[in-house]
Amino acid sequence: MPLILQDDQQVPYAASFLDKKNQPAVVDGVPVWASSDPSLLTVTPASDGLSALAVAVAVTPPGSTVQISVTADTRMGPDVVPLVLTDDITIVAGEAVSGTLSAGTPVPQP
Protein backbone atom coordinates (compact mmCIF):
# COMPACT_ATOMS: atom_id res chain seq x y z
CA MET A 1 0.00 0.00 0.00
CA PRO A 2 1.50 3.35 -0.98
CA LEU A 3 2.24 6.11 1.48
CA ILE A 4 -0.37 8.89 1.18
CA LEU A 5 1.22 12.34 1.17
CA GLN A 6 -0.58 15.65 0.78
CA ASP A 7 0.81 18.05 -1.81
CA ASP A 8 1.83 20.44 0.97
CA GLN A 9 3.74 17.83 2.99
CA GLN A 10 7.21 16.32 3.15
CA VAL A 11 8.43 13.11 4.75
CA PRO A 12 11.86 11.97 5.96
CA TYR A 13 13.14 8.58 4.83
CA ALA A 14 15.96 6.47 6.26
CA ALA A 15 17.68 3.53 4.59
CA SER A 16 19.21 0.63 6.44
CA PHE A 17 20.84 -2.43 4.96
CA LEU A 18 20.89 -5.94 6.38
CA ASP A 19 22.96 -9.06 5.68
CA LYS A 20 21.66 -12.64 5.25
CA LYS A 21 21.49 -13.03 9.02
CA ASN A 22 19.36 -9.89 9.36
CA GLN A 23 22.26 -8.00 10.92
CA PRO A 24 23.21 -4.42 9.97
CA ALA A 25 25.42 -4.37 6.87
CA VAL A 26 27.64 -1.70 5.35
CA VAL A 27 27.52 -0.62 1.72
CA ASP A 28 30.30 0.65 -0.52
CA GLY A 29 30.13 4.37 -1.16
CA VAL A 30 27.21 6.73 -0.72
CA PRO A 31 23.74 5.41 -1.62
CA VAL A 32 21.95 7.33 -4.39
CA TRP A 33 18.35 8.52 -3.93
CA ALA A 34 15.91 9.28 -6.75
CA SER A 35 12.30 10.09 -7.58
CA SER A 36 10.58 8.41 -10.51
CA ASP A 37 9.04 11.81 -11.34
CA PRO A 38 10.69 14.95 -9.90
CA SER A 39 7.78 17.06 -11.17
CA LEU A 40 5.62 15.27 -8.55
CA LEU A 41 8.15 14.48 -5.79
CA THR A 42 11.64 15.80 -5.09
CA VAL A 43 14.20 13.91 -3.02
CA THR A 44 17.07 15.58 -1.16
CA PRO A 45 19.55 13.10 0.32
CA ALA A 46 21.72 13.63 3.38
CA SER A 47 25.46 13.78 2.72
CA ASP A 48 25.96 10.19 3.93
CA GLY A 49 23.17 8.89 1.67
CA LEU A 50 21.50 7.01 4.51
CA SER A 51 18.54 9.35 4.75
CA ALA A 52 16.64 11.77 2.55
CA LEU A 53 13.76 14.22 2.58
CA ALA A 54 10.94 13.60 0.10
CA VAL A 55 8.91 16.72 -0.73
CA ALA A 56 5.57 16.59 -2.53
CA VAL A 57 5.39 18.96 -5.50
CA ALA A 58 2.10 18.10 -7.21
CA VAL A 59 -0.84 15.69 -7.01
CA THR A 60 -0.28 12.34 -8.72
CA PRO A 61 -2.73 11.53 -11.52
CA PRO A 62 -5.72 9.43 -10.41
CA GLY A 63 -4.81 5.78 -9.90
CA SER A 64 -1.07 6.34 -10.10
CA THR A 65 1.88 6.69 -7.75
CA VAL A 66 5.36 8.17 -7.76
CA GLN A 67 8.26 6.04 -6.56
CA ILE A 68 11.15 6.98 -4.29
CA SER A 69 14.24 4.79 -4.50
CA VAL A 70 17.68 4.44 -2.99
CA THR A 71 20.41 2.42 -4.67
CA ALA A 72 23.45 1.13 -2.82
CA ASP A 73 26.50 -0.90 -3.84
CA THR A 74 26.52 -3.97 -1.60
CA ARG A 75 29.92 -5.33 -2.64
CA MET A 76 33.05 -3.81 -1.15
CA GLY A 77 35.78 -3.14 -3.69
CA PRO A 78 35.77 -2.54 -7.43
CA ASP A 79 32.85 -4.83 -8.31
CA VAL A 80 29.40 -3.26 -8.14
CA VAL A 81 26.39 -5.22 -6.90
CA PRO A 82 23.46 -2.81 -6.71
CA LEU A 83 20.65 -3.16 -4.21
CA VAL A 84 17.60 -0.97 -4.89
CA LEU A 85 15.04 -0.16 -2.19
CA THR A 86 11.76 1.46 -3.29
CA ASP A 87 8.56 2.87 -1.86
CA ASP A 88 5.38 4.00 -3.65
CA ILE A 89 3.80 7.34 -2.76
CA THR A 90 0.40 8.72 -3.74
CA ILE A 91 0.22 12.50 -3.53
CA VAL A 92 -3.22 13.96 -2.87
CA ALA A 93 -4.51 17.50 -2.54
CA GLY A 94 -4.08 19.07 0.89
CA GLU A 95 -6.89 19.82 3.33
CA ALA A 96 -9.27 22.59 2.34
CA VAL A 97 -8.41 25.87 4.06
CA SER A 98 -10.60 28.24 2.06
CA GLY A 99 -13.28 28.18 -0.60
CA THR A 100 -15.55 30.24 -2.82
CA LEU A 101 -19.28 30.46 -3.37
CA SER A 102 -20.61 30.89 -6.90
CA ALA A 103 -24.11 32.18 -7.49
CA GLY A 104 -26.12 31.01 -10.46
CA THR A 105 -28.24 33.27 -12.68
CA PRO A 106 -31.20 34.76 -10.79
CA VAL A 107 -34.63 33.67 -12.09
CA PRO A 108 -38.17 34.82 -11.24
CA GLN A 109 -39.98 32.95 -8.48
CA PRO A 110 -42.92 30.76 -9.59
Side-chain angles (χ1 to χ4, degrees), residues 6-66:
Q6 292 179 354
D7 65 354
D8 60 352
Q9 292 181 319
Q10 59 188 26
V11 60
Y13 271 85
S16 59
F17 303 94
L18 304 172
D19 67 12
K20 289 180 185 178
K21 294 184 178 183
N22 220 24
Q23 298 298 313
V26 296
V27 294
D28 194 12
V30 177
V32 176
W33 292 79
S35 167
S36 64
D37 189 341
S39 70
L40 299 174
L41 181 81
T42 61
V43 181
T44 304
S47 60
D48 66 1
L50 296 178
S51 62
L53 184 64
V55 179
V57 177
V59 174
T60 51
S64 67
T65 60
V66 62

Side-chain angles (χ1 to χ4, degrees), residues 78-101:
D79 293 341
V80 175
V81 177
L83 173 64
V84 181
L85 307 176
T86 62
D87 195 22
D88 292 330
I89 300 172
T90 298
I91 303 172
V92 298
E95 292 180 1
V97 295
S98 66
T100 59
L101 289 175

